[in-house]
């Protein structure tokens, strides 16, 4: 009800309405960056979790090394590092690997400017959140009773079948609350991509405020948009948790 009342106030007020119309143009970028980065982080985090539970010591140590290193780096620092160090290095590596094709005229040299800032931001968020999600997945998998796994082995299920049919359906109830919290955090942390000039909600607000000098109105609307996104996600996750608990 409070959100609806604030929304009506924004629509009724000419000033707030104008701010909202301008800032809301970045909502799609915010949603797109959050969804894609979190999907990629989930896939990479699950891989890291499986690696951390491997029977091979070297594989476990690689996963543990990545998780500990990335979790110790502030997200903003990692964002700058990927954008201005990792991206040029990746471009150089690509040009080095494709040098014969470029010499033959089959490929053009890749320039750093060809690597869009949007994708640099998505990759940075993916790498950062994969480390946190890996620990969530690992804890959820280890929470499954070993008797269930032994019973699946006795039935002749292969490792992937045990993981897909036995482990993950039970682990998802343990994983869901912290997994959902990280998704909400991803939506909020996606605002950091504005430092690279990506035109999300925060960047649109920054541009509008710097031109109109209406900082209070602009950042109030920006905060309202993020609150609507995060509160909606929280309510959806609570509903999903109740559905799973009833089963």
């Amino acid at each position: 009800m409070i959100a609806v009342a604030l929304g009506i106030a924004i629509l009724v007020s000419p000033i707030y309405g104008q701010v909202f119309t301008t800032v809301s143009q970045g909502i799609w970028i915010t949603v797109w960056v959050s969804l894609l980065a979190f999907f990629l982080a989930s896939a990479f985090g699950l891989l890291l979790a499986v690696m951390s539970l491997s029977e091979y010591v070297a594989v476990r140590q690689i996963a543990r090394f990545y998780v500990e290193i990335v979790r110790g780096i502030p997200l903003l620092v990692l964002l700058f590092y990927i954008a201005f160090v990792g991206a040029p290095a990746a471009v150089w590596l690509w040009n080095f690997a494709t040098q014969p094709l470029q010499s033959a005229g089959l490929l053009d040299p890749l320039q750093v400017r060809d690597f869009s800032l949007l994708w640099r931001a998505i990759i940075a968020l993916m790498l950062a959140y994969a480390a946190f999600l890996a620990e969530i997945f690992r804890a959820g998998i280890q929470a499954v009773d070993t008797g269930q796994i032994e019973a699946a082995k006795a039935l002749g299920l292969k490792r992937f079948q045990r993981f897909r049919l036995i482990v993950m359906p039970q682990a998802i109830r343990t994983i869901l609350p912290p997994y959902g919290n990280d998704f909400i955090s991803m939506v909020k942390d996606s605002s950091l991509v504005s430092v690279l000039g990506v035109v999300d909600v925060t960047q649109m607000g920054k541009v509008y405020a710097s031109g109109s000098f209406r900082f209070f109105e602009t950042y109030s609307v920006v905060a309202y948009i993020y609150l609507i996104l995060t509160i909606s996600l929280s309510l959806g996750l609570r509903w999903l948790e109740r559905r799973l608990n009833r089963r």
Side-chain angles (χ1 to χ4, degrees), residues 8-26:
I8 294 174
I10 289 174
L11 293 175
V12 170
S13 171
I15 296 176
Y16 281 98
Q18 183 180 6
V19 173
F20 182 82
T21 301
T22 303
V23 172
S24 61
Q25 296 176 20

Side-chain angles (χ1 to χ4, degrees), residues 6-127:
L6 290 175
I8 294 174
I10 289 174
L11 293 175
V12 170
S13 171
I15 296 176
Y16 281 98
Q18 183 180 6
V19 173
F20 182 82
T21 301
T22 303
V23 172
S24 61
Q25 296 176 20
I27 291 178
W28 165 244
I29 294 297
T30 295
V31 173
W32 167 249
V33 168
S34 301
L35 289 176
L36 183 57
F38 198 73
F39 173 77
L40 296 175
S42 298
F44 188 30
L46 183 58
L47 175 63
L48 289 171
V50 173
M51 289 174 61
S52 67
L53 297 173
S54 173
E55 59 186 9
Y56 300 104
V57 176
V59 176
R60 293 200 306 269
Q61 291 303 318
I62 291 172
R64 175 55 56 189
F65 177 80
Y66 178 87
V67 169
E68 294 299 333
I69 290 297
V70 173
R71 289 201 306 173
I73 301 175
L75 182 54
L76 186 59
V77 175
L78 183 62
L79 189 68
F80 284 135
Y81 192 87
I82 295 299
F84 302 117
V85 179
V91 170
W92 177 87
L93 184 62
W94 170 262
N95 289 331
F96 178 79
T98 59
Q99 183 62 42
L101 296 177
Q102 294 177 18
S103 300
L106 299 176
L107 280 179
D108 293 327
L110 186 64
Q111 304 294 326
V112 175
R113 62 176 177 268
D114 297 329
F115 200 154
S116 72
L117 291 172
L118 176 63
W119 277 102
R120 299 186 205 187
I122 291 174
I123 291 172
L125 289 173
M126 180 269 289
L127 294 175

Side-chain angles (χ1 to χ4, degrees), residues 225-239:
I225 291 175
Y226 279 108
L227 281 172
I228 291 298
L229 292 174
T230 54
I231 291 174
S232 299
L233 286 172
S234 297
L235 294 175
L237 289 168
R238 290 178 187 176
W239 174 82

Side-chain angles (χ1 to χ4, degrees), residues 1-2 17 20 27 32 46 76 169 176 185 187 198 234 246:
M1 292 177 64
I2 294 174
F20 182 82
I27 291 178
W32 167 249
L46 183 58
L76 186 59
L176 185 60
S185 296
V187 174
V198 178
S234 297
R246 285 199 296 265

